[in-house]
Amino acid sequence: MNLPKHVLSNPWQALRGLTQARIALGRSGVSVPTSAQLDFQLAHARARDAVHMALDAGALAAALSGDGHACLTVHSACPHRATYLQRPDLGRVLDAPSRAALAAAAPASCDLVLVIGDGLSALAIEQNAQPFLAVLLARLQQEQWRMGPIVIASQARVAIGDEIGELLNARAVAVLIGERPGLSSPDSMGIYMSWAPRVGLSDADRNCISNVRPAGLGYDEAAYRLHYLLTQARQRGMSGVSLKDDTVADAGALTAGKGNFLLR
């Protein structure tokens, strides 16, 4: 990268092409260059916008229904975004109308319920949820998984999936949720899987797959990992710290040609 004449280069300049991290920006006097400062401010604004952006649950439900999936929309106990940001505990539980609606629609039992929650980045859900589900469900359809309805939850935190899974009599729940935006990743989606979901589970009872997006963990690899975890959870009757993700060691077909540049 060619820097302006008034900007002094950094010895790490060659590494900038290998990471989105803000390294080797150079300097102008004792400050960072103006272009780097403006890029930082833009990234910060995008992260803030992602946090406050509202998920169009109706449009997402219509799109998934158009793909042939049964969908339900629910809401947490947070009445609006300001409360959601100040009261994480209310984002972990359903409001009363949603609880009643799920109880009325609950199947006798099912193997898996997929929950889509806005979390801290509705942008991540808008961009990643539907294409990821297409890849995942194509895998699950090759096996005998009794699927519950896809539940779209607004003002949701991760733990809301446990209550949803319990109300829908699911053996497992997987929550797709917008992750806290970073300065280079306002569109990152996380996936949290719990076996035997019920109110009161802790983070130690869940398996997490993070940074699902085209510029991070691709849909194919994320679906591969979640499918593995679901299969192992069903076989062993467990999730969380008791269930290890061994796909990193045996996912050569998905990661061919990739590697850690620091180890080359």
Side-chain angles (χ1 to χ4, degrees):
M1 178 182 296
N2 294 324
L3 296 175
K5 293 181 180 180
H6 62 277
V7 176
L8 299 180
S9 64
N10 186 292
W12 285 15
Q13 189 72 29
L15 295 179
R16 289 193 63 186
L18 303 175
T19 177
Q20 291 183 315
R22 285 174 169 77
I23 64 170
L25 299 178
R27 63 183 177 87
S28 179
V30 296
S31 303
V32 297
T34 300
S35 59
Q37 177 66 11
L38 293 176
D39 287 343
F40 176 85
Q41 292 176 345
L42 176 59
H44 186 260
R46 286 173 172 166
R48 288 177 60 88
D49 287 347
V51 169
H52 292 283
M53 177 180 173
L55 176 66
D56 190 340
L60 179 58
L64 292 173
S65 297
D67 291 340
H69 307 303
C71 292
L72 297 171
T73 58
V74 298
H75 204 284
S76 77
C78 295
H80 43 66
R81 199 64 173 173
T83 302
Y84 173 84
L85 295 174
Q86 297 171 12
R87 292 287 304 274
D89 56 316
L90 295 181
R92 300 182 184 116
V93 297
L94 294 164
D95 62 11
S98 297
R99 194 176 298 114
L102 289 182
S109 65
C110 60
D111 290 324
L112 175 63
V113 164
L114 295 169
V115 177
I116 303 174
D118 49 3
L120 287 167
S121 176
L123 176 66
I125 295 303
E126 284 197 355
Q127 293 187 356
N128 301 308
Q130 190 174 5
F132 169 77
L133 286 178
V135 178
L136 173 67
L137 293 173
R139 283 183 170 273
L140 297 180
Q141 286 169 0
Q142 300 175 18
E143 302 174 356
Q144 294 181 343
W145 287 88
R146 295 173 301 154
M147 302 295 297
I150 296 176
V151 180
I152 302 171
S154 297
Q155 310 295 6
R157 300 279 178 170
V158 171
I160 201 171
D162 296 325
E163 184 177 14
I164 292 171
E166 184 176 20
L167 287 169
L168 293 179
N169 301 311
R171 299 177 71 196
V173 65
V175 180
L176 283 58
I177 195 164
E179 295 183 310
R180 180 178 291 106
L183 290 176
S184 61
S185 56
D187 58 345
S188 178
M189 183 177 76
I191 306 170
Y192 295 81
M193 189 276 292
S194 302
W195 179 257
R198 60 194 181 278
V199 174
L201 292 184
S202 70
D203 289 341
D205 299 306
R206 306 184 187 97
N207 293 87
C208 175
I209 302 170
S210 185
N211 195 30
V212 180
R213 59 192 183 106
L217 185 68
Y219 303 139
D220 286 337
E221 187 169 353
Y224 173 76
R225 291 187 182 183
L226 180 57
H227 177 235
Y228 173 86
L229 290 170
L230 286 168
T231 301
Q232 293 299 310
R234 183 162 66 171
Q235 291 177 358
R236 304 182 189 186
M238 63 178 67
S239 61
V241 296
S242 300
L243 180 63
K244 302 303 180 185
D245 181 358
D246 294 325
T247 60
V248 176
D250 62 9
L254 287 169
T255 58
K258 299 179 182 179
N260 188 336
F261 71 87
L262 293 176
L263 301 180
R264 292 175 186 169

